[in-house]
Amino acid sequence: MCNLESLKIDLKELNEGLTMLNFNLGDAYFESLDEDEIKRGSVSVSLNVRRTENYFELDFHTAGSVVIPCDLCLDDMDQDVESDDRLIVKFGEEYSEDDDLITVDEREGVLDVAWFIYEFIALNIPAKHVHTPGKCNAAMIKVLEEHSATRSSGANEEQAVDPRWNELEKLKTIIKD
């Protein structure tokens, strides 16, 4: 399992100005989060933390590749990801998240970025993810085509009008007259 402790940033220890952090996240990271959407991957994250007197600006640059299921054949496929994201963090009385503003308990002073990074990656994956043409599982595509053809031929049979609708159509013409 991945040690997610390395993704916890002690904000109190950071000096004013710019601090640069780098993380290389592999399969163990995705396994430790135990999410279904992304199974594996290799992603590098560059994090620039700019500390001012009142707040922290966190600029994330995420780039790499993740393994997700194809929507069509359900086999695993590689998906390239790259994103630039920003969070603003300040100290407060208790932890809270409001859009891009995170409040960290000033007594604790630690921000765990593991889940934020996962969300940035997941949001960068297209809504529809399928293999490039010809790369899908051929056996699964054949089964899908057979079922699609069955559904199409069955639709013609269903297009025959139910006799009850005919009676309703008669009422409709009577009301118009």
Side-chain angles (χ1 to χ4, degrees):
M1 284 297 189
C2 177
N3 181 7
L4 294 179
E5 289 297 315
S6 64
L7 296 172
K8 291 183 179 179
I9 301 169
D10 189 349
L11 298 173
K12 288 181 171 181
E13 295 294 318
L14 296 179
N15 296 324
E16 219 170 286
L18 183 65
T19 302
M20 298 187 320
L21 304 168
N22 291 303
F23 306 104
N24 291 314
L25 307 175
D27 295 345
Y29 165 75
F30 293 103
E31 289 170 9
S32 65
L33 291 176
D34 197 29
E35 288 295 315
D36 291 334
E37 185 176 3
I38 302 173
K39 298 178 176 188
R40 298 183 309 280
S42 177
V43 177
S44 62
V45 179
S46 299
L47 172 58
N48 293 328
V49 182
R50 184 174 314 279
R51 181 177 185 168
T52 66
E53 193 173 314
N54 300 321
Y55 63 93
F56 300 84
E57 286 181 24
L58 282 72
D59 290 313
F60 296 83
H61 176 76
T62 309
S65 176
V66 294
V67 177
I68 55 176
C70 172
D71 287 341
L72 196 56
C73 71
L74 302 178
D75 280 359
D76 288 348
M77 63 174 276
D78 291 329
Q79 176 67 54
D80 292 334
V81 291
E82 186 169 358
S83 71
D84 291 305
D85 301 282
R86 173 176 277 186
L87 291 175
I88 305 296
V89 180
K90 67 176 187 170
F91 288 127
E93 291 184 20
E94 61 183 35
Y95 184 87
S96 70
E97 294 181 27
D98 296 317
D99 295 325
D100 290 339
L101 177 64
I102 311 300
T103 304
V104 173
D105 184 340
E106 63 187 321
R107 294 173 300 234
E108 195 175 303
V110 176
L111 177 66
D112 186 354
V113 296
W115 185 252
F116 291 111
I117 291 171
Y118 180 82
E119 285 181 334
F120 297 150
I121 294 168
L123 289 171
N124 192 256
I125 296 172
K128 183 177 181 182
H129 30 89
V130 294
H131 284 104
T132 55
K135 299 284 184 179
C136 274
N137 180 329
M140 181 63 85
I141 297 302
K142 182 179 177 188
V143 170
L144 285 171
E145 288 172 352
E146 288 173 3
H147 286 286
S148 295
T150 304
R151 213 174 345 168
S152 300
S153 64
N156 291 338
E157 294 169 9
E158 292 175 19
Q159 287 179 354
V161 177
D162 185 335
R164 293 174 288 188
W165 288 112
N166 288 334
E167 295 301 317
L168 288 172
E169 282 295 325
K170 289 179 188 175
L171 284 173
K172 189 174 164 184
T173 56
I174 292 172
I175 293 173
K176 282 183 184 178
D177 296 337

